[in-house]
Amino acid sequence: MNDGRAKYEPFECAPGLRLVAHERVSQIHNDNLNKRLDRLEEGMERLERRLWLAVYGVAAMILGQAVQSFIAAAP
């Protein structure tokens, strides 16, 4: 049926292409941000482990000195 109008294939116009490109760039930015946040969380976990190790070390040293003073005071 030819009703006088030519049938054209659909095409994407420039605003649609810009939107797709913007979504793609935003997704890349979000992925990179998530990677950076993951690295920060890993660094904070390592720092927390080191901090607890230091706290336990200081507590062990204090307890060791207390035990040593009790041993020295005992006859």
Side-chain angles (χ1 to χ4, degrees):
M1 290 195 181
N2 192 358
D3 60 354
R5 287 185 263 167
K7 293 190 177 189
Y8 295 105
E9 293 182 20
F11 65 95
E12 294 189 35
C13 62
L17 292 175
R18 288 180 58 199
L19 181 62
V20 169
H22 178 69
E23 289 173 350
R24 188 168 172 209
V25 169
S26 295
Q27 184 63 39
I28 291 170
H29 283 298
N30 285 336
D31 292 343
N32 287 334
L33 182 62
N34 286 333
K35 288 177 188 176
R36 290 169 62 187
L37 286 173
D38 289 340
R39 284 196 310 254
L40 278 172
E41 287 177 1
E42 290 172 4
M44 287 175 60
E45 287 174 2
R46 284 195 309 261
L47 184 61
E48 184 180 11
R49 281 192 298 260
R50 289 179 184 175
L51 178 64
W52 281 114
L53 183 62
V55 167
Y56 287 139
V58 169
M61 188 176 69
I62 291 170
L63 288 174
Q65 288 179 351
V67 169
Q68 186 179 16
S69 67
F70 285 137
I71 292 173

